[in-house]
Amino acid sequence: MVADVESILIDRAQIALRVHDLGRELARDLQDELQREGHAGDDGSGRIVFVPILTGALVFTADLIRELTLKLSLRVVAVSSYPGTSIESKGAKLAGELPKDLSGKHVVIVDDILDSGQTLGLIDELIRTQKPASIRICVLLKKPPEVRRREVKAHYVGFDIPNEFVVGYGLDYDGYYRNLPYVGVLKKEAIGR
Ligand code: IMP
Ligand code: MG
């Protein structure tokens, strides 16, 4: 498996440090949000909801939420955009249900990577219809703006990366490599095999 990786773009220690910082930033901003609403000193009555986009955001979300000591809940959403051995976005489709009870909540949408923007654009648009109190978008990785087909503002970004197909730390190729503890570039020979 590791033989399929050409190079490590971001190693395990770099990821851990950055996720820790992102967690602190999010905790501070969410705490401020609750304070403005008069929830100072209490737990915000469960108003914070993290919405990870399956399956890619699984590993990142697991680490990220453990950096926060706020009371929060998780509602997963599934989107399919890269079916099978494709490495180009075929447009995003909701797979399954959207969480229904997000009205008045502080929502943090989490994804592994912002690429064409179609996945996050879709989920952001769908969640907005429920009128949450606030929406934040948090991604581990962000590809350059030139690859965007839909404009999306990611409020929290772990790393800006070049336009390369990457795997690991939740990101897959054809369903594999999600368990690699780092983010790496896949060898050209491993694509389409
Ligand atoms: P978008 O809709 O094009 O922004 O793509 C978002 C989804 O495509 C992400 O949630 C990933 O699951 C997947 N994706 C985009 N770029 C990569 C990559 O370089 N490696 C693996 N998956 C990717
Ligand atoms: Mg994926």
Side-chain angles (χ1 to χ4, degrees), residues 53-57 81-82 87 89 91-92 111-120 143 148 161 164-167 170-173 178:
I53 303 179
L54 296 179
T55 306
S81 58
Y82 276 17
I87 59 164
S89 185
D111 206 0
D112 50 1
I113 188 164
L114 173 57
D115 182 18
S116 75
Q118 294 174 104
T119 302
L120 280 159
K143 287 189 185 174
R148 226 76 74 224
I161 64 163
E164 302 242 39
F165 193 79
V166 292
V167 293
L171 293 117
D172 72 304
Y173 171 65
R178 294 193 198 275

Side-chain angles (χ1 to χ4, degrees), residues 74-103:
L74 275 184
R75 300 265 194 287
V76 299
V77 64
V79 168
S80 91
S81 58
Y82 276 17
T85 56
S86 164
I87 59 164
E88 263 182 39
S89 185
K90 298 270 192 284
K93 260 203 326 247
L94 188 68
E97 303 244 318
L98 193 76
K100 287 190 185 66
D101 42 2
L102 301 173
S103 158

Side-chain angles (χ1 to χ4, degrees), residues 37-165:
E37 293 175 340
H39 286 289
D42 69 22
D43 59 26
S45 322
R47 310 256 333 280
I48 298 169
V49 185
F50 275 62
V51 181
I53 303 179
L54 296 179
T55 306
L58 214 146
V59 178
F60 176 39
T61 306
D63 285 343
L64 182 67
I65 58 172
R66 283 178 292 171
E67 297 291 341
L68 287 108
T69 52
L70 294 164
K71 185 173 179 178
L72 62 87
S73 61
L74 275 184
R75 300 265 194 287
V76 299
V77 64
V79 168
S80 91
S81 58
Y82 276 17
T85 56
S86 164
I87 59 164
E88 263 182 39
S89 185
K90 298 270 192 284
K93 260 203 326 247
L94 188 68
E97 303 244 318
L98 193 76
K100 287 190 185 66
D101 42 2
L102 301 173
S103 158
K105 305 280 164 111
H106 296 292
V107 174
V108 182
I109 304 172
V110 185
D111 206 0
D112 50 1
I113 188 164
L114 173 57
D115 182 18
S116 75
Q118 294 174 104
T119 302
L120 280 159
L122 173 73
I123 295 306
D124 180 68
E125 174 191 322
L126 292 174
I127 287 178
R128 261 171 215 289
T129 64
Q130 296 186 32
K131 308 230 177 326
S134 67
I135 300 188
R136 292 176 165 74
I137 292 180
C138 176
V139 293
L140 178 76
L141 308 172
K142 184 173 145 194
K143 287 189 185 174
E146 305 88 80
V147 305
R148 226 76 74 224
R149 291 210 233 149
R150 185 168 177 171
E151 228 31 74
V152 170
K153 164 104 184 98
H155 308 87
Y156 305 86
V157 177
F159 302 92
D160 285 285
I161 64 163
N163 185 20
E164 302 242 39
F165 193 79

